[in-house]
Amino acid sequence: MKKTIALLLVTIMMLGVLAGCNVKTKDQVTGGDTEGPAVNAQPVDITLLAMSAYEKDVNIVRDQLSKAGFNVKLNLQPDYGSFVGQKDAGNYDLAISGWTTVTGNPDYAVRSLFTTGGDYNDYGLSNSDLDRLVEEAATQTPDQYVNTYKEFEKILVEDNAYIVPLYSSYKSQAINKEILKLDSVRLSKSRSLPWEELDFVDESKRTSEPFLFSQTMPSLTSLDPIKGNDGSINIINTNQYIRLVNLTDDDEVTSKGSLSYNNVIGEGNQEYYFVLRDDVRFAKVENKKAVDSGELVAAEDVVFSMNRAKDKNSVPDHRTYSLHSSMDKIEIVTDIAELESKNESGKNTNVKEALEKGLPSPINQLVADKKDVNNAAGSYQVVKITTNKPFPQVLNYLAHQSAGIVSKSQVEAINTYDVATYDRNKDIAYGDQTTITEGSTYNNTLATSGPYIAIYKNDYEVVFEKNPGYMKGTEHEPRISKVVVKFIKDADSSLSAFRSGEVHLLYSVPEDKYSLVESDSKLFLQKRPSNAVNYAFFNLKGNSKFSDVNLRKAVLSSVNQDEFLAVYNNLKLKAYSTVSPLVDTGNVHTADPAKAKEYLNLYWESQK
């Protein structure tokens, strides 16, 4: 009897254990650890595209997305050309990229990337609210557009997760302080390094020794400022051509060191006036030496340069016309009454009074012909630019190297070809690098308005001399007579050349080399937050599954910027969008694994 009861008890216990096997645990109900994948969801495949130069970023993003419930496949490409090829072929779901706002204004940071049909919007983004806000902000002054860009960012990131912000970077350069005066070397957020302000510790070397600089790219896109907008030419053309305005180191528009004494925005933010100085003449090259051409850089050259800058068809391979598309009309003002009858934007002073501040003498006469210019006697030239809508940020674009002033007479004399039938094998355009390359092709026809002019180029370097007709006797006259830009193949070799004294300044020091520079007593590292932002964007074309906003938000919520800062030893900065370095909107991105899981669940629910 006892044996029967015991057997019955064992049977009941076994049934209880078996039944317990069908009871779900707390982890099974909730999805387990909050770091784990979504409830009852299989991993979502996601192909991550990037250049191998972004390998650190790729590894961080891959690990974060894998923890969130994504099956990450990598598509790493060796260079930018290959990256673009894969992007154009649609071989990605998420791509890591970078953007630097080289003009210092937020319109440049958003228009090409995020408006429908933008120059760099080739991934299928189209949102009418974003388009509207970009246009609205473009009409506003800096004190007005903060809230507009704040709303823009909210729609771009928080509401739709069109992009995933990763971080913002520092801009840096290293200086041999035994050779160069530290206070003569500027590090601007946007503007390229101004050579005219550089000076030697030993000032007696100004005319006998060159300033030695380096860059990795030996092939120069073009010495015509509107045909080049890349690392091979930006610093070079910035120092070869003067502009109507400049940018301060903090991206404020200034007339200091530019072709204009003053610039004034007319009431309504659609008319922009510039009073020109008369101490800048074009340089040219004779017998491989820089000489003063005697030709004044004047209003007719400004009108010519700005019209060709905004005209897509003014030259073959125009690289920068979209920057200047807001300009509707460029003209020379000859009626003083116009300046007196119009007020400065937001002020009670008229345009004439505003333009006259600090001039050598009051404006007595406005002239159209450069032969009649005489600032000391009160004869000035004023150029007016009218935009196709109110657009104060046009001034930032006018500070870009592509708005450099060229000689109307010289460019017209060289560019005699028909643009429509241009043949690069037989037609030689103004600024073609072959014209300054030593050998059979050498025929230097440059006429530069800036502080320096290229004399010649070979496989190893390009040599510049100061423009003898540039602001002579002023604080802006170049101090060092000769500049040599050496071609050094990569960043490590450039650093070695810098440390050994072969170059005097190293532009753009990699973060992992900061300590190496700082440990050398003869070197000095300059760094500051830049306008460069790394971010990821989704493939929204065709039937992409990432057209689903919940799936995009799952990715966005999974990315933790703190981990990027840790990997880069806090030498990166947090960012919310490409606008972050330019406008303090107060928006902050925070990773949220629980929300990532929630969005993944919503995505899977929608697939049922």
Side-chain angles (χ1 to χ4, degrees), residues 333-341 352 363-366 378:
V333 179
T334 56
D335 185 2
I336 291 180
E338 176 179 343
L339 308 183
E340 294 173 329
S341 64
K352 181 176 181 289
I363 299 173
N364 296 322
Q365 182 183 16
L366 295 181

Side-chain angles (χ1 to χ4, degrees), residues 561-581:
Q561 294 186 352
D562 288 327
E563 292 186 19
F564 288 89
L565 270 59
V567 168
Y568 286 102
N569 298 316
N570 288 316
L571 293 173
K572 299 293 186 185
L573 303 164
K574 290 188 177 183
Y576 194 79
S577 79
T578 49
V579 172
S580 295

Side-chain angles (χ1 to χ4, degrees), residues 149-219:
Y149 284 117
K150 181 182 180 72
E151 184 182 354
F152 172 89
E153 283 190 325
K154 182 178 182 296
I155 294 171
L156 178 73
V157 181
E158 180 183 336
D159 294 351
N160 293 285
Y162 288 130
I163 68 166
V164 180
L166 305 182
Y167 57 78
S168 179
S169 298
Y170 282 93
K171 185 177 181 180
S172 64
Q173 61 190 17
I175 305 151
N176 188 323
K177 61 185 180 182
E178 294 181 350
I179 296 174
L180 294 175
K181 292 180 181 179
L182 289 180
D183 61 3
S184 75
V185 186
R186 290 172 54 182
L187 181 63
S188 305
K189 286 190 74 176
S190 295
R191 185 180 177 183
S192 294
L193 176 69
W195 293 345
E196 71 267 27
E197 299 182 25
L198 297 172
D199 203 0
F200 290 126
V201 171
D202 182 354
E203 294 182 5
S204 68
K205 294 183 177 180
R206 288 175 173 176
T207 57
S208 60
E209 300 289 335
F211 163 59
L212 301 175
F213 190 60
S214 67
Q215 68 178 45
T216 57
M217 289 171 276
S219 180

Side-chain angles (χ1 to χ4, degrees), residues 441-455:
T441 63
Y442 184 85
N443 179 29
N444 195 326
T445 56
L446 293 178
T448 66
S449 58
Y452 288 89
I453 186 169
I455 306 300

Side-chain angles (χ1 to χ4, degrees), residues 98-314:
W99 181 264
T100 302
T101 302
V102 296
T103 56
N105 62 311
D107 187 78
Y108 184 90
V110 297
R111 183 175 295 274
S112 292
L113 293 171
F114 308 126
T115 60
T116 304
D119 294 347
Y120 289 89
N121 179 1
D122 51 5
Y123 52 97
L125 171 58
S126 181
N127 184 294
S128 60
D129 288 329
L130 292 180
D131 295 343
R132 173 182 57 80
L133 289 168
V134 168
E135 296 304 330
E136 182 179 335
T139 69
Q140 298 172 327
T141 55
D143 58 325
Q144 298 170 327
Y145 60 45
V146 174
N147 287 333
T148 308
Y149 284 117
K150 181 182 180 72
E151 184 182 354
F152 172 89
E153 283 190 325
K154 182 178 182 296
I155 294 171
L156 178 73
V157 181
E158 180 183 336
D159 294 351
N160 293 285
Y162 288 130
I163 68 166
V164 180
L166 305 182
Y167 57 78
S168 179
S169 298
Y170 282 93
K171 185 177 181 180
S172 64
Q173 61 190 17
I175 305 151
N176 188 323
K177 61 185 180 182
E178 294 181 350
I179 296 174
L180 294 175
K181 292 180 181 179
L182 289 180
D183 61 3
S184 75
V185 186
R186 290 172 54 182
L187 181 63
S188 305
K189 286 190 74 176
S190 295
R191 185 180 177 183
S192 294
L193 176 69
W195 293 345
E196 71 267 27
E197 299 182 25
L198 297 172
D199 203 0
F200 290 126
V201 171
D202 182 354
E203 294 182 5
S204 68
K205 294 183 177 180
R206 288 175 173 176
T207 57
S208 60
E209 300 289 335
F211 163 59
L212 301 175
F213 190 60
S214 67
Q215 68 178 45
T216 57
M217 289 171 276
S219 180
L220 309 181
T221 303
S222 177
L223 298 158
D224 182 340
I226 64 174
K227 294 185 67 175
N229 191 22
D230 57 77
S232 77
I233 207 69
N234 282 345
I235 289 180
I236 288 174
N237 279 345
T238 294
N239 287 286
Q240 283 203 123
Y241 299 95
I242 198 169
R243 295 159 300 283
L244 282 171
V245 289
N246 283 322
L247 293 177
T248 67
D249 293 346
D250 296 313
D251 288 343
E252 298 295 326
V253 175
T254 179
S255 285
K256 186 177 181 181
S258 75
L259 186 60
S260 66
Y261 283 115
N262 292 312
N263 70 90
V264 174
I265 303 176
E267 197 166 11
N269 295 344
Q270 203 164 351
E271 295 176 321
Y272 304 82
Y273 295 87
F274 308 85
V275 58
L276 307 187
R277 58 193 303 150
D278 67 350
D279 58 355
V280 181
R281 294 187 295 277
F282 287 103
K284 63 180 181 178
V285 176
E286 291 181 354
N287 300 317
K288 286 194 173 180
K289 296 295 294 180
V291 299
D292 181 352
S293 70
E295 181 189 0
L296 184 69
V297 181
E300 66 181 65
D301 302 298
V302 174
V303 172
F304 173 76
S305 299
M306 296 302 96
N307 276 321
R308 71 194 296 266
K310 75 187 185 78
D311 180 5
K312 179 180 181 180
N313 300 312
S314 62

Side-chain angles (χ1 to χ4, degrees), residues 12-31:
I12 293 171
M13 289 174 65
M14 289 182 66
L15 288 171
V17 170
L18 290 172
C21 289
N22 292 321
V23 176
K24 292 182 179 179
T25 67
K26 178 181 178 182
D27 278 359
Q28 287 174 316
V29 172
T30 64

Side-chain angles (χ1 to χ4, degrees), residues 378-428:
S379 294
Y380 290 91
Q381 289 191 312
V382 169
V383 171
K384 179 175 74 170
I385 294 177
T386 305
T387 52
N388 47 35
K389 61 188 175 186
F391 187 51
Q393 294 185 57
V394 70
L395 294 172
N396 292 78
Y397 291 122
L398 293 175
H400 188 251
Q401 63 87 18
S402 61
I405 310 303
V406 296
S407 166
K408 178 178 186 292
S409 60
Q410 183 69 351
V411 171
E412 288 182 334
I414 301 301
N415 288 358
T416 57
Y417 55 81
D418 181 354
V419 174
T421 59
Y422 173 78
D423 183 349
R424 67 178 64 251
N425 295 314
K426 65 181 183 66
D427 295 322
I428 304 298

